[in-house]
Amino acid sequence: MEIGFNVAETLETRIAAVASEMEEFDETFAPDVRPADPRFGDFQANGVLPFAKKQGLNPRALADKLVGRLDGGAWSGVEVSVAGPGFINFTLRPPALLDWLLTYRGENDLKNGASDLYQGKKLVVDYSSPNTAKQMHVAHIRSMVLGEAISRLFEFSGAQVVRDNHIGDWGTQYGKLIHAYKHYLDAEALKSDPLEELERVYKKCDNLCKEDPSVLDSARAELVKLQRGDPENRTLWEEINRISESAFEAIYEELGIRFDTHLGESFYRDKVGEVYAELRRHGIAQESEGALVVFHPEHPRFKKQPFIIRKSDGASNYASTDLATVLYRVREWKAEKIIYVTDGRQQDHFQQLFLTVRKWFASTGRPVPELDHVWFGTILGEDGKAIKTRSGNPIKLKDLLAEAEQRARSIVEEKNPGLPAEEKDDIARAIGIGAVRYADLAQNRTSDYVFSWDKVLSFEGNTAPYLLYAVARIHSIFGRMGESAEIDESSATPFETGQEQQLARKLLTLPEILKMTLGDLRPHFLCTYLYELAGDFSGFYNADKVLVDDAGVKARRILLCRRTLLVLEEGLRLLGIRTLKRM
Ligand code: ARG
């Protein structure tokens, strides 16, 4: 029996086919199959109830009648029953579970199965996108970690992803930066930590501007010169960007993030004219006190709160470059979906941007891309306020990552003093960086969360160390089994024990979890799943001996070990977490 990669979808298609031959149903009926509460079955179809109500039919009777038609070959692997007021429960029989696991045996099988979901879809993930001349601090990690996981998950699901780093490399801050560069820079300090020095002189200039109007005038004059293309200021601007980007690059390197493009705000500054013209021509934008603005009369707030797309001094801004950016991505890359990963404070900006783009593209007859703002909350310290150093400054990201590795190094030292030093370093890096990353991904992104070293580095609970350990443990199990683990999977017999079945069922829900994760753009669904999977594996391994005499039983238990390892490793890879063979 062919059950397909996503069992819920297979069931849905089959139910719909049966319903289409029954006179009670019409095309508005959607079976709506989802993973079920395990006490009732593997999957549940919830769609009969609302459909029957709408048609004035008895839901329970309708469900009974539908289930009466679900028999014969295609349904032999599934137990079907009606529950409550008209839900339909499905439980896969052990041979069907085994079939599925024999079909999806390696990374490529999973990828082929998953790639139906977004096959060929062109999408852009706009993430990290920091502003130049500033160090990255802890808060910056969220966009990187979420954006990278989402990019990997979409790629795995068949999409063509452009990872675009929309760097904030244009704007009024350059007036002050250039003035500061020319007057306050310490050449030695610039050599030892360039970004730190840029930040220092920028702050100095910013403070002086408040006290001394002549400094402010000079900074403004530098900005105007830059905007007019003055060669000296252009060179300094490039130098500042180069310094920033190489500091960012060190962090991307450490996190294993590689962008396809780095088209920052400056790239779009000469592309905004067309945007202004079109938005005016279609009556979407209007002049207001010298500025160009967009109101959205249908929206409770944005009917009054303008989206300023050109400032009153004629300069472009964040909104204008973002509008030009959408046009560029759709025109040049044929983007069908654009995902922006930023913190929650930018929600208004993106809502206004999306409303504007939809109207603009619809009036010009362009295909309107799907637009998603993947926003996230704040990382809190143990005092419940945004996380800071003891002295009250933001924590630099490079310091946080260094501390993570160092703390993980002492844990490794304690647990495994006998390993070679180089391997200890490598394990520490994987645990430390993985722990920080995973802590971020495992949270529902829209909530704030409290960061605590003890929690993120714990080997218990929903953490990276726990999952990395689960992976290493299965590798060591295989190591100990040696040649006895080399079995022919086709000799496996159907699962019998409760633990075998529970683990097999969990493995089968992976496709639905991937779908949910991408549908909602929330990687924590996948994290929770992997955590539960590791728990089910432990339950199975503690209860059922693997190397038994019965060849069929042994084969199916080894198969479960193999597939658990596959799904854990693949799942963590998709989240951007590097796994280890031993630790
Ligand atoms: N540079 C912005 C910031 O640091 C984030 C940019 C996000 N992307 C975008 N296309 N607006 O807040």
Side-chain angles (χ1 to χ4, degrees):
M1 191 204 59
E2 178 60 66
I3 48 176
F5 182 60
N6 186 320
V7 182
E9 272 172 14
T10 309
L11 292 171
E12 220 155 50
T13 318
R14 265 198 228 147
I15 298 167
V18 171
S20 73
E21 286 170 4
M22 293 169 63
E23 58 178 26
E24 290 85 349
F25 290 98
D26 61 30
E27 64 296 334
T28 64
F29 169 62
D32 187 18
V33 177
R34 304 184 191 179
D37 180 329
R39 284 174 301 168
F40 307 127
D42 297 334
F43 298 94
Q44 185 168 71
N46 302 322
V48 174
L49 200 63
F51 178 81
K53 282 199 177 142
K54 211 177 54 201
Q55 308 286 322
L57 299 169
N58 177 329
R60 173 87 198 196
L62 188 59
D64 281 330
K65 192 155 182 199
L66 178 63
V67 167
R69 303 275 191 113
L70 307 182
D71 53 19
W75 296 92
S76 61
V78 196
E79 237 167 81
V80 189
S81 64
V82 178
F87 302 116
I88 306 176
N89 287 324
F90 303 91
T91 307
L92 265 65
R93 298 201 168 96
L97 294 172
L98 184 60
D99 259 6
W100 192 95
L101 289 170
L102 286 170
T103 307
Y104 300 99
R105 43 195 308 144
E107 199 187 305
N108 282 334
D109 304 308
L110 295 181
K111 191 168 159 59
N112 285 339
S115 62
D116 273 354
L117 204 50
Y118 289 92
Q119 190 54 267
K121 186 140 179 153
K122 297 203 171 86
L123 60 94
V124 176
V125 184
D126 174 327
Y127 68 111
S128 188
S129 309
N131 297 329
T132 50
K134 279 193 203 142
Q135 309 244 11
M136 287 201 202
H137 45 86
V138 176
H140 283 98
I141 198 172
R142 299 209 78 178
S143 174
M144 285 189 261
V145 164
L146 283 162
E148 181 61 22
I150 286 172
S151 303
R152 289 182 185 207
L153 282 157
F154 270 114
E155 251 161 14
F156 191 73
S157 307
Q160 291 174 34
V161 179
V162 177
R163 292 164 164 82
D164 191 16
N165 195 2
H166 189 78
I167 299 197
D169 59 358
W170 195 246
T172 48
Q173 74 273 26
Y174 280 94
K176 288 176 187 165
L177 277 167
I178 290 174
H179 172 91
Y181 199 104
K182 287 181 177 171
H183 297 93
Y184 317 130
L185 212 63
D186 173 341
E188 279 310 304
L190 189 70
K191 253 189 232 146
S192 70
D193 192 337
L195 197 51
E196 184 104 38
E197 176 60 5
L198 275 187
E199 237 180 355
R200 182 189 71 82
V201 296
Y202 176 80
K203 274 190 205 134
K204 177 168 170 168
C205 180
D206 197 40
N207 286 333
L208 286 173
C209 282
K210 286 175 197 141
E211 293 158 17
D212 183 348
S214 74
V215 177
L216 187 60
D217 286 344
S218 159
R220 284 201 179 124
E222 298 292 7
L223 181 65
V224 173
K225 273 168 75 184
L226 172 68
Q227 286 167 341
R228 297 213 173 117
D230 170 79
E232 188 193 4
N233 282 10
R234 281 299 292 251
T235 307
L236 289 183
W237 172 73
E238 278 163 14
E239 172 68 5
I240 292 167
N241 292 344
R242 201 193 48 72
I243 291 173
S244 310
E245 278 160 32
S246 71
F248 298 154
E249 210 45 60
I251 290 189
Y252 297 143
E253 177 78 39
E254 178 130 50
L255 294 177
I257 292 177
R258 250 178 237 115
F259 293 96
D260 300 301
T261 48
H262 291 83
L263 299 182
E265 289 174 31
S266 66
F267 178 76
Y268 298 98
R269 64 184 190 276
D270 62 354
K271 300 180 175 52
V272 292
E274 182 182 7
V275 178
Y276 302 147
E278 287 196 5
L279 287 175
R280 268 225 198 86
R281 187 172 336 122
H282 293 283
I284 298 166
Q286 62 192 73
E287 297 278 340
S288 165
E289 296 163 34
L292 193 60
V293 303
V294 179
F295 289 103
H296 296 286
E298 75 286 7
H299 191 280
R301 244 165 344 104
F302 306 140
K303 66 180 172 201
K304 293 227 177 75
Q305 183 183 320
F307 189 44
I308 303 173
I309 64 169
R310 196 201 60 211
K311 296 196 287 185
S312 50
D313 63 4
S316 61
N317 64 3
Y318 191 50
S320 14
T321 49
D322 256 337
L323 287 164
T325 305
V326 177
L327 182 57
Y328 185 86
R329 288 170 176 166
V330 170
R331 217 181 239 167
E332 300 298 317
W333 301 336
K334 310 281 174 275
E336 295 164 273
K337 185 177 179 77
I338 306 175
I339 294 168
Y340 300 83
V341 191
T342 82
D343 79 64
R345 285 170 301 186
Q346 297 197 33
Q347 285 179 81
D348 276 8
H349 168 76
F350 284 106
Q351 279 184 37
Q352 288 173 300
L353 176 69
F354 296 173
L355 286 168
T356 308
V357 167
R358 288 184 192 120
K359 290 177 189 170
W360 169 32
F361 276 41
S363 11
T364 52
R366 292 190 182 99
V368 184
E370 282 170 46
L371 300 162
D372 286 289
H373 184 206
V374 170
W375 62 271
F376 49 81
T378 308
I379 306 181
L380 307 174
E382 293 188 71
D383 59 358
K385 296 190 194 124
I387 192 166
K388 293 258 154 66
T389 61
R390 278 216 189 93
S391 49
N393 296 316
I395 298 175
K396 290 175 195 158
L397 186 52
K398 61 177 185 192
D399 294 346
L400 181 95
L401 297 177
E403 183 168 354
E405 274 182 46
Q406 185 201 321
R407 284 177 181 261
R409 185 69 163 80
S410 354
I411 297 174
V412 178
E413 198 63 62
E414 194 187 295
K415 286 199 187 259
N416 234 334
L419 291 177
E422 218 169 282
E423 190 176 348
K424 280 188 217 160
D425 289 342
D426 186 58
I427 297 176
R429 207 169 306 128
I431 297 183
I433 306 288
V436 170
R437 264 182 126 134
Y438 190 85
D440 211 277
L441 293 167
Q443 307 294 325
N444 188 347
R445 61 176 164 79
T446 47
S447 339
D448 297 344
Y449 75 93
V450 175
F451 184 91
S452 119
W453 283 115
D454 289 342
K455 230 167 54 193
V456 309
L457 286 169
S458 167
F459 278 72
E460 273 153 52
N462 189 9
T463 66
Y466 172 79
L467 288 171
L468 291 177
Y469 179 73
V471 167
R473 179 170 174 227
I474 305 179
H475 277 291
S476 97
I477 290 171
F478 279 117
R480 272 180 282 129
M481 286 194 285
E483 278 175 17
S484 348
E486 286 160 24
I487 46 112
D488 173 12
E489 296 189 344
S490 61
S491 60
T493 45
F495 308 110
E496 279 170 19
T497 72
Q499 275 83 6
E500 285 175 343
Q501 293 197 31
Q502 185 172 334
L503 178 57
R505 302 210 136 89
K506 193 76 191 178
L507 288 163
L508 252 74
T509 52
L510 172 73
E512 199 52 28
I513 299 294
L514 291 175
K515 189 173 161 187
M516 267 167 61
T517 302
L518 286 181
D520 240 32
L521 299 163
R522 289 183 203 271
H524 78 280
F525 291 146
L526 179 57
C527 296
T528 309
Y529 168 78
L530 294 176
Y531 172 57
E532 290 171 358
L533 176 65
D536 287 340
F537 179 78
S538 282
F540 151 75
Y541 192 72
N542 294 337
D544 297 329
K545 188 165 183 290
V546 175
L547 295 184
V548 290
D549 292 336
D550 183 314
V553 177
K554 180 176 124 181
R556 74 182 189 233
R557 292 189 179 162
I558 288 175
L559 174 84
L560 286 173
C561 295
R562 285 184 185 161
R563 296 301 185 272
T564 306
L565 183 61
L566 170 72
V567 171
L568 284 177
E569 285 189 324
E570 196 54 27
L572 288 167
R573 189 189 68 74
L574 290 172
L575 293 169
I577 313 273
R578 182 163 69 91
T579 56
L580 297 159
K581 292 214 159 75
R582 69 170 183 183
M583 59 193 273

